[in-house]
């Protein structure tokens, strides 16, 4: 073993579809469920977000044999169940560990958000909840990779990321004046803030398997501010630097791209400092919104699909460069040649000064 | 208490009031402390006690990670934020909202000490020394990490605060095990 772990199964559940393929197609075709919501969750100001059709999700969950849970638990179990089936593992085995990535869970203390996973799949180990702000999904992958490398008693880890929106979250971002009143425009000169989104996504990791591997991943803090990124991109730069030198087959970087003024500017600086300005970049939040605890896993899975087809995904909402440093983005899909192997980096940052970067490779 | 020695003892104050008294007793000069939520205050005070004798503090470093565990996450602050979004009192507070994340305490410790290494927050179903030791030990897999400030920092609400933190280093010395953690808890409960 060389520090890599294999991805044996994955799933993506969003308002745009219930499979990785459907979600990849939506990004490729520029379809989004970012819509204006008035009065939703009892929030007084209208807001743009990508929200689930709850009935459609419950129907899908019923088909999957998941009835009668709260909505947050339903999307967690739905994503986990699909990924587990693809991986072909027995979730009740002693050898399987579960990790849940979420920021607010079902609105109750997060420790209880793990209970549904434990009960439904009869997990033999305590479920670990990673709650590391907007990078939670990448933190969970980083943590799960290490767990597999270090623990002989565990052979498989199911990592689930999920977030549902609520009055709590929407009013909070409104109070910070961070929300855009229209579908967001990552890295664009006219960007005015982020949109929130709902999603769940899961991967099953194992020690060995053909196909996608997680090569390395790290978390770094800016040590600067709890609710604003470093002006010098310190943490994102250091996280990227830990993955350098860039592999020769690096096809693209899937960035955070929240479409806030500070985040996108910070990322442009971090990419330049890491010598990665020329690497093609894509940002997905103009399609899914910011899916918080699900983002790291969802955006990684959609990026895997794109890489399999030799495609660099378009950045919806982007048209005019809007950062002080150049970023290699495009509003339309681009192709790349991938003879033999391909890799990409997923980058995220979040409140508390956290930044995460994970390197994925196929072949 | 630090390394078995009592640092300060209070019988009257508890929760955030106790943390405020500790801030004054320890003569910490960090006014931002008063803006923090309960869990961040608890993490900050615990880390100040832990690091009080360390030489060369406040020099930027990437080799020290901060990895904290709790059961209630940021629930103590969530309660306060929820009070600002009720139908009768609808003034969502950004100052409270920014603390409604379980990992902000790790960020506050990183900012205070200029730690640019990993910061991670985990929420466990209950206190579990075995889980804490596994995850902390695994964090040394990151080749940059040589030292981890870690442990349990939990606040059910403003009046119930628990903190047990450790400085774990690569190298020789007493091994960081579940027995060590459980032994401390048995001795001082």
């Amino acid at each position: 073993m060389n520090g890599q772990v294999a991805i044996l199964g994955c799933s993506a559940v969003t308002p745009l579809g219930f499979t990785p393929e459907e979600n990849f197609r939506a990004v490729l075709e520029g379809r989004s469920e970012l819509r204006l919501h008035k009065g939703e969750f009892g929030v007084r100001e209208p807001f743009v977000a990508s929200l689930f059709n709850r009935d459609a999700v419950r129907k899908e969950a019923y088909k999957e044999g998941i009835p009668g849970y709260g909505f947050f638990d339903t999307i967690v179990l739905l994503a986990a169940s699909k990924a587990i089936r693809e991986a072909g593992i027995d979730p009740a085995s002693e050898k399987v560990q579960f990790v849940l990535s979420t920021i607010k869970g079902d609105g109750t203390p997060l420790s209880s958000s793990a209970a549904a996973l434990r009960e439904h799949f009869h997990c033999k180990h305590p479920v670990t909840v990673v709650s590391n702000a907007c990078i939670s999904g990448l933190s969970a992958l980083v943590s799960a990779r290490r767990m597999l490398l270090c623990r002989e008693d565990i052979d498989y880890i199911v990592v689930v990321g999920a977030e549902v929106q609520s009055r709590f979250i929407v009013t909070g971002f409104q109070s910070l004046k961070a929300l855009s009143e229209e579908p967001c425009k990552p890295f664009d000169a006219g960007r005015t803030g982020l949109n929130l989104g709902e999603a769940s996504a899961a991967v099953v990791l194992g020690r060995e398997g053909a196909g996608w591997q997680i090569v390395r991943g790290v978390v770094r803090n800016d040590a600067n501010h709890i609710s604003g990124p470093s002006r010098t991109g310190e943490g994102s730069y250091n996280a990227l630097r830990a993955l350098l030198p860039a592999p020769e087959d690096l096809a693209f970087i899937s960035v955070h791209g929240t479409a806030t003024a500070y985040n996108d500017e910070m990322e442009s600086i971090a990419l330049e400092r890491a010598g990665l300005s020329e690497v093609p970049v894509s940002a997905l939040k103009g399609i899914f919104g910011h899916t918080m605890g699900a983002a790291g896993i969802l955006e990684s899975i959609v990026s895997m699909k794109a890489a399999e087809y030799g495609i660099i995904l378009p950045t919806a909402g982007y048209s005019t460069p809007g950062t002080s440093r150049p970023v290699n983005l495009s509003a339309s899909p681009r192709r790349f040649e991938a003879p033999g192997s391909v890799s990409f980096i997923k980058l995220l940052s979040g409140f508390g000064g956290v930044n995460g970067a994970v390197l994925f490779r196929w072949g | 208490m630090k390394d078995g020695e009592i640092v300060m003892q209070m019988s009257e104050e508890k929760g955030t009031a106790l943390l405020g008294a500790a801030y004054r007793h320890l003569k910490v000069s960090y006014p931002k402390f008063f803006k923090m939520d309960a869990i961040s205050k608890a993490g900050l005070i615990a880390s100040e006690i832990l690091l009080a004798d360390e030489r060369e503090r406040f020099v930027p470093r990437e080799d020290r990670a901060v990895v904290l565990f709790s059961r209630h996450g940021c629930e103590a602050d969530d309660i306060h934020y929820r009070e600002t979004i009720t139908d009768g009192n609808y003034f969502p507070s950004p100052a409270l909202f920014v603390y409604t994340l379980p990992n902000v305490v790790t960020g506050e410790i990183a900012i205070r000490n200029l730690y640019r290494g990993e910061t991670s927050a985990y929420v466990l179903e209950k206190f579990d020394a075995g889980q804490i030791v596994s995850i902390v030990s695994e964090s040394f897999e990151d080749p940059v990490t040589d030292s981890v400030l870690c442990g349990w920092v939990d606040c059910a609400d403003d009046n119930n605060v628990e903190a047990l933190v450790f400085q774990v280093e690569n190298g020789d010395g007493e091994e960081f095990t579940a027995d060590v953690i459980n032994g401390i808890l048995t001795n001082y409960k």
Side-chain angles (χ1 to χ4, degrees), chain A residues 135-174:
Chain A
I135 76 159
S136 296
L138 290 187
S139 283
L141 294 177
V142 168
S143 187
R145 171 181 162 275
R146 288 175 192 161
M147 235 179 251
L148 271 178
L149 296 177
C150 299
R151 283 182 61 176
E152 288 179 358
D153 59 326
I154 300 290
D155 284 345
Y156 303 103
I157 304 187
V158 183
V159 186
V160 192
E163 209 73 55
V164 291
Q165 291 303 326
S166 63
R167 178 176 176 120
F168 190 109
I169 301 171
V170 177
T171 56
F173 278 97
Q174 283 177 334

Coordinates of all heavy atoms in Angstrom, one line a residue, chain A residues 135-174:
Chain A
I135 N -15.8 22.8 4.9 CA -14.9 21.8 4.4 C -15.2 20.4 4.9 O -14.4 19.4 4.7 CB -13.4 22.1 4.5 CG1 -12.9 21.9 6.0 CG2 -13.1 23.5 4.2 CD1 -11.4 21.7 6.1
S136 N -16.2 20.2 5.7 CA -16.5 19.0 6.4 C -16.4 17.8 5.5 O -15.8 16.7 5.9 CB -17.9 19.0 7.0 OG -18.0 20.0 8.0
G137 N -16.9 17.8 4.3 CA -16.9 16.7 3.4 C -15.5 16.2 3.1 O -15.1 15.1 3.1
L138 N -14.6 17.2 2.8 CA -13.2 16.9 2.6 C -12.5 16.4 3.8 O -11.7 15.5 3.8 CB -12.4 18.1 2.0 CG -12.8 18.4 0.5 CD1 -11.9 19.5 0.0 CD2 -12.8 17.2 -0.4
S139 N -12.8 17.1 5.0 CA -12.3 16.6 6.2 C -12.6 15.1 6.5 O -11.8 14.4 7.0 CB -12.8 17.4 7.4 OG -12.2 18.7 7.5
A140 N -13.9 14.8 6.2 CA -14.3 13.4 6.4 C -13.5 12.5 5.5 O -13.2 11.4 6.0 CB -15.8 13.3 6.1
L141 N -13.3 12.8 4.3 CA -12.5 12.0 3.4 C -11.0 11.9 3.9 O -10.5 10.8 3.8 CB -12.5 12.5 1.9 CG -13.9 12.5 1.2 CD1 -13.7 13.2 -0.2 CD2 -14.4 11.1 1.1
V142 N -10.5 13.0 4.3 CA -9.1 13.0 4.8 C -9.0 12.0 6.0 O -8.1 11.2 6.2 CB -8.7 14.4 5.2 CG1 -7.4 14.4 6.1 CG2 -8.5 15.3 4.0
S143 N -10.0 12.2 6.9 CA -10.0 11.4 8.2 C -10.2 9.9 7.9 O -9.6 9.0 8.4 CB -11.2 11.9 9.0 OG -11.2 11.4 10.3
A144 N -11.2 9.6 6.9 CA -11.5 8.2 6.6 C -10.3 7.6 5.9 O -10.0 6.4 6.2 CB -12.7 8.2 5.7
R145 N -9.6 8.3 5.1 CA -8.4 7.7 4.4 C -7.4 7.3 5.4 O -6.8 6.2 5.4 CB -7.8 8.7 3.4 CG -6.4 8.3 2.9 CD -5.8 9.4 1.9 NE -4.4 9.1 1.8 CZ -3.5 9.6 2.6 NH1 -3.8 10.3 3.6 NH2 -2.2 9.3 2.4
R146 N -7.1 8.2 6.4 CA -6.1 7.9 7.5 C -6.6 6.7 8.3 O -5.8 5.8 8.7 CB -6.0 9.0 8.4 CG -5.3 10.2 7.9 CD -5.5 11.2 9.0 NE -5.1 12.5 8.6 CZ -5.5 13.6 9.2 NH1 -6.3 13.5 10.3 NH2 -5.1 14.8 8.8
M147 N -7.9 6.6 8.6 CA -8.4 5.5 9.4 C -8.1 4.2 8.7 O -7.7 3.2 9.3 CB -9.9 5.7 9.5 CG -10.5 5.8 10.9 SD -12.3 6.0 10.9 CE -12.4 7.7 11.5
L148 N -8.4 4.2 7.4 CA -8.1 2.9 6.6 C -6.6 2.6 6.6 O -6.3 1.4 6.7 CB -8.6 3.1 5.2 CG -10.0 2.7 4.9 CD1 -10.3 2.9 3.4 CD2 -10.3 1.2 5.2
L149 N -5.8 3.6 6.5 CA -4.4 3.3 6.5 C -3.8 2.9 7.8 O -2.9 2.1 7.9 CB -3.6 4.6 6.0 CG -3.9 5.1 4.6 CD1 -3.1 6.4 4.4 CD2 -3.5 4.0 3.6
C150 N -4.4 3.3 8.9 CA -3.9 3.1 10.3 C -4.6 2.0 11.0 O -4.0 1.4 12.0 CB -4.0 4.3 11.1 SG -3.0 5.7 10.4
R151 N -5.8 1.6 10.7 CA -6.5 0.6 11.5 C -6.7 -0.7 10.8 O -7.4 -0.8 9.8 CB -7.9 1.2 11.9 CG -7.7 2.2 13.0 CD -9.0 2.8 13.5 NE -10.0 1.8 14.0 CZ -11.2 2.1 14.5 NH1 -11.6 3.3 14.5 NH2 -11.9 1.1 14.9
E152 N -6.2 -1.7 11.4 CA -6.3 -3.1 10.7 C -7.7 -3.7 10.9 O -8.0 -4.6 10.2 CB -5.2 -4.0 11.3 CG -3.8 -3.6 10.8 CD -2.8 -4.5 11.4 OE1 -3.1 -5.4 12.2 OE2 -1.6 -4.3 11.0
D153 N -8.4 -3.2 11.9 CA -9.7 -3.8 12.2 C -10.8 -3.3 11.3 O -11.9 -3.8 11.3 CB -10.1 -3.6 13.7 CG -10.2 -2.1 14.0 OD1 -9.4 -1.3 13.5 OD2 -11.1 -1.8 14.9
I154 N -10.5 -2.3 10.5 CA -11.5 -1.7 9.6 C -11.1 -1.9 8.1 O -10.0 -1.6 7.8 CB -11.6 -0.2 9.8 CG1 -12.0 0.2 11.3 CG2 -12.6 0.5 8.8 CD1 -13.4 -0.2 11.6
D155 N -12.0 -2.5 7.3 CA -11.7 -2.7 5.9 C -12.4 -1.7 5.0 O -12.0 -1.5 3.9 CB -12.1 -4.1 5.5 CG -11.1 -5.1 6.0 OD1 -10.0 -4.7 6.4 OD2 -11.4 -6.3 5.9
Y156 N -13.6 -1.2 5.4 CA -14.4 -0.3 4.6 C -14.9 0.9 5.4 O -15.3 0.7 6.6 CB -15.6 -1.1 4.0 CG -15.2 -2.3 3.2 CD1 -15.4 -3.6 3.8 CD2 -14.7 -2.2 2.0 CE1 -15.0 -4.7 3.1 CE2 -14.3 -3.3 1.3 CZ -14.4 -4.6 1.8 OH -14.1 -5.7 1.1
I157 N -15.0 2.0 4.8 CA -15.5 3.2 5.5 C -16.6 3.8 4.6 O -16.3 4.1 3.4 CB -14.5 4.2 5.9 CG1 -13.4 3.5 6.7 CG2 -15.1 5.4 6.6 CD1 -12.4 4.5 7.3
V158 N -17.8 4.0 5.1 CA -18.8 4.7 4.4 C -18.8 6.1 4.8 O -19.0 6.4 6.0 CB -20.2 4.0 4.7 CG1 -21.3 4.7 3.9 CG2 -20.2 2.5 4.4
V159 N -18.5 7.0 3.9 CA -18.5 8.4 4.3 C -19.7 9.1 3.6 O -19.8 9.1 2.4 CB -17.2 9.1 3.7 CG1 -17.1 10.5 4.2 CG2 -16.0 8.3 4.1
V160 N -20.6 9.7 4.4 CA -21.8 10.3 3.9 C -21.7 11.8 4.3 O -21.4 12.2 5.4 CB -23.0 9.8 4.6 CG1 -24.3 10.2 3.9 CG2 -23.0 8.3 4.7
G161 N -22.0 12.7 3.3 CA -22.1 14.1 3.6 C -23.5 14.5 3.3 O -24.1 14.1 2.3
A162 N -24.1 15.3 4.1 CA -25.5 15.8 3.9 C -25.8 17.1 4.5 O -25.2 17.4 5.6 CB -26.5 14.7 4.5
E163 N -26.7 17.9 3.9 CA -27.1 19.1 4.5 C -28.5 19.4 4.0 O -28.8 19.3 2.8 CB -26.2 20.3 4.1 CG -26.1 21.4 5.1 CD -25.3 21.0 6.4 OE1 -24.2 20.6 6.2 OE2 -25.9 21.1 7.5
V164 N -29.4 19.8 4.9 CA -30.7 20.3 4.5 C -30.7 21.8 5.0 O -30.0 22.1 5.9 CB -31.9 19.6 5.1 CG1 -32.0 18.2 4.6 CG2 -31.8 19.5 6.7
Q165 N -31.5 22.6 4.3 CA -31.5 24.0 4.6 C -32.6 24.3 5.7 O -33.5 23.4 5.8 CB -31.7 24.9 3.4 CG -30.4 24.9 2.5 CD -29.2 25.3 3.2 OE1 -29.2 26.2 4.1 NE2 -28.1 24.7 2.9
S166 N -32.5 25.4 6.3 CA -33.5 25.7 7.4 C -33.5 27.2 7.7 O -32.7 27.9 7.1 CB -33.0 25.0 8.7 OG -31.7 25.6 9.0
R167 N -34.5 27.6 8.4 CA -34.6 29.0 8.9 C -33.3 29.4 9.6 O -32.8 30.5 9.3 CB -35.8 29.1 9.9 CG -36.0 30.4 10.5 CD -37.3 30.2 11.3 NE -37.7 31.3 12.1 CZ -38.9 31.9 12.0 NH1 -39.7 31.5 11.1 NH2 -39.2 32.8 12.8
F168 N -32.7 28.5 10.4 CA -31.5 28.8 11.1 C -30.4 29.2 10.1 O -29.8 30.3 10.3 CB -31.1 27.5 11.9 CG -30.0 27.7 12.8 CD1 -30.2 27.6 14.2 CD2 -28.7 27.8 12.4 CE1 -29.2 27.7 15.1 CE2 -27.6 28.0 13.3 CZ -27.9 27.9 14.7
I169 N -30.1 28.3 9.1 CA -29.0 28.6 8.2 C -29.2 29.8 7.3 O -28.4 30.7 7.2 CB -28.7 27.3 7.4 CG1 -28.4 26.1 8.3 CG2 -27.5 27.6 6.4 CD1 -28.3 24.8 7.5
V170 N -30.4 29.8 6.7 CA -30.7 30.9 5.8 C -30.7 32.3 6.4 O -30.0 33.2 5.9 CB -32.1 30.7 5.1 CG1 -32.4 31.9 4.1 CG2 -32.1 29.4 4.3
T171 N -31.3 32.4 7.6 CA -31.3 33.7 8.3 C -29.9 34.1 8.7 O -29.5 35.3 8.7 CB -32.2 33.7 9.5 OG1 -31.8 32.7 10.4 CG2 -33.7 33.6 9.2
G172 N -29.1 33.1 9.1 CA -27.7 33.4 9.5 C -26.9 34.0 8.4 O -26.2 35.0 8.5
F173 N -27.0 33.3 7.2 CA -26.2 33.8 6.0 C -26.8 35.2 5.6 O -26.1 36.0 5.1 CB -26.2 32.8 4.9 CG -25.1 31.8 5.1 CD1 -25.4 30.5 5.6 CD2 -23.8 32.0 4.7 CE1 -24.4 29.6 5.8 CE2 -22.8 31.1 4.9 CZ -23.1 29.9 5.4
Q174 N -28.1 35.3 5.7 CA -28.7 36.7 5.4 C -28.1 37.7 6.3 O -27.8 38.8 5.9 CB -30.2 36.6 5.5 CG -30.9 36.0 4.3 CD -32.4 35.9 4.5 OE1 -32.9 35.8 5.6 NE2 -33.1 35.8 3.3

